[in-house]
Amino acid sequence: MPREEMPVRVGTVPNGCSFFPSRSYVAAPGGESPGRAAEFVTVDGQNLATDNVTVIEGEMATISCRVRDNDDSVIQLLNPNRQTIYFKDYRPLKDARFQLVNFSDNELRVSLSNVSLSDEGRYVCQLYTDPPQEAYADITVLVPPGSPIIESQEELVSEGNETELTCTAIGSKPAASIRWMKGEEELTGEATVEETYDRMFTVSSRVRFSVTKDDDGVPVDCIIDHPAVKDLLAQRHLEVLYKPEVKIVVTYPEGLTREGDNLDLTCIAEGKPHPHQINWLRVDEDVPPHAVVTGSDLYIENLNKSYNGTYRCVASNTVGEAFDDYILYVYESVMMGAHEERQSLILGVAGGWVLWCGRGAASEEWYTDEWLIILTQSSSCLA
């Protein structure tokens, strides 16, 4: 293969810029006078070897020029601009971030501290043999993104509505990827990648989903995947507004409600925001005139059958309202009289029927309303 004609360049060290020219001239075979450039080659089986280096911005990179079976040939290291960094163990370049780690017949190893993006490129190991050899070490600089930021169109969202979140990772190389997690559920986002300057990237991801009251307080994580950083995420807890949940609790009595007894009901209502109003009413009828409502409590004393009916607690907030019902059925009071020795047991009320268990036959004196008495001879029932 004919060699390229090039003018002769003399290796000098002006201000430490270049110790050897990028092309060296050697005597041609057979004593020919110099004039043709000897090519630096990188071929399989050559004596010179090096490795590519990947480094995070601000950290240290190490370049190793290794020689197998060196015959005292000179080793030097050039930067991407073909300036000599080290000639043997001498550093012509004034950049003090380059430091000699090891120099021997078989290796020139140099470290570069506080690596910046401008240091990225192809570094050249040169070995002055005949023909001269070159090996290339590509330095790749990784730049981690800044702390991700989650933004929302609204701080609060009502149950049943959709919310939209956007996460942005600024200034990374290469571009980061973004994943979303809502609690233990992975969400699918829509990503956009923008190349900004000097091969840097800004990545945004948008996710949209409907919420329920169960999502209130659930964390949403924006997780950044990038080779230069681990465990980088932003987190936001959902704030979901939901209408009240209402439950009526019988504080007194513990058993059946009978004539002459008092009735105390408590309305428990929880919502977000907290219910601002709780009302008691009697469905299709007026609440008894002497009933007392105190906050969430309804109190009725000296019950009688005219109070039978459905009592409703209604709670409301800015999202909506909800209610719970209590059906009041007042039974006649039990008159044991001569039957006290019967040791009867009221089991309860089911669908308006009285369930009774006792020794012997039941007496109509005890219950004068329409009722059904169920007798059992089970040994577990008899006293």
Side-chain angles (χ1 to χ4, degrees), residues 114-178:
N114 193 23
V115 174
S116 67
L117 197 58
S118 62
D119 296 317
E120 192 172 67
R122 172 163 289 188
Y123 290 73
V124 183
C125 295
Q126 286 186 347
L127 180 65
Y128 282 87
T129 56
D130 184 13
Q133 301 176 26
E134 284 190 354
Y136 306 105
D138 290 327
I139 289 187
T140 301
V141 179
L142 306 179
V143 181
S147 297
I149 302 171
I150 295 181
E151 296 176 319
S152 175
Q153 290 186 341
E154 59 278 308
E155 295 295 324
L156 303 173
V157 58
S158 297
E159 61 177 335
N161 292 340
E162 285 191 336
T163 186
E164 182 177 296
L165 302 176
T166 301
C167 183
T168 304
I170 301 174
S172 68
K173 178 182 173 296
S177 60
I178 296 177

Side-chain angles (χ1 to χ4, degrees), residues 106-261:
N106 301 106
E107 184 186 40
L108 171 61
R109 192 190 322 162
V110 176
S111 66
L112 170 60
S113 60
N114 193 23
V115 174
S116 67
L117 197 58
S118 62
D119 296 317
E120 192 172 67
R122 172 163 289 188
Y123 290 73
V124 183
C125 295
Q126 286 186 347
L127 180 65
Y128 282 87
T129 56
D130 184 13
Q133 301 176 26
E134 284 190 354
Y136 306 105
D138 290 327
I139 289 187
T140 301
V141 179
L142 306 179
V143 181
S147 297
I149 302 171
I150 295 181
E151 296 176 319
S152 175
Q153 290 186 341
E154 59 278 308
E155 295 295 324
L156 303 173
V157 58
S158 297
E159 61 177 335
N161 292 340
E162 285 191 336
T163 186
E164 182 177 296
L165 302 176
T166 301
C167 183
T168 304
I170 301 174
S172 68
K173 178 182 173 296
S177 60
I178 296 177
R179 293 183 292 118
W180 290 95
M181 294 293 294
K182 178 168 75 77
E184 298 298 321
E185 176 188 0
E186 186 164 1
L187 304 176
T188 300
E190 180 182 343
T192 58
V193 180
E194 177 187 0
E195 185 171 358
T196 54
Y197 64 93
D198 203 12
R199 294 162 292 164
M200 302 285 281
F201 296 89
T202 292
V203 180
S204 294
S205 179
R206 182 179 62 183
V207 67
R208 190 173 183 86
F209 54 91
S210 298
V211 298
T212 68
K213 71 177 186 64
D214 294 332
D215 290 322
D216 183 48
V218 172
V220 177
D221 295 333
C222 165
I223 304 169
I224 306 300
D225 292 324
H226 192 273
V229 66
K230 293 181 179 179
D231 303 324
L232 184 61
L233 61 83
Q235 187 176 84
R236 186 186 188 96
H237 289 81
L238 295 174
E239 292 280 346
V240 180
L241 305 179
Y242 53 91
K243 67 182 182 180
E245 295 180 322
V246 184
K247 181 181 180 181
I248 296 175
V249 176
V250 181
T251 306
Y252 184 86
E254 294 183 357
L256 296 178
T257 50
R258 302 186 181 281
E259 290 183 315
D261 285 347

Side-chain angles (χ1 to χ4, degrees), residues 36 63 67 69 76 87 105-106 131 147 153 159 162 216 247 254 299 301 329 349 355 369:
R36 296 183 180 272
I63 303 173
V67 181
D69 302 327
Q76 73 169 348
F87 173 75
D105 290 341
N106 301 106
S147 297
Q153 290 186 341
E159 61 177 335
E162 285 191 336
D216 183 48
K247 181 181 180 181
E254 294 183 357
Y299 178 76
E301 63 180 7
Y329 186 84
V349 180
L355 307 181
D369 284 340

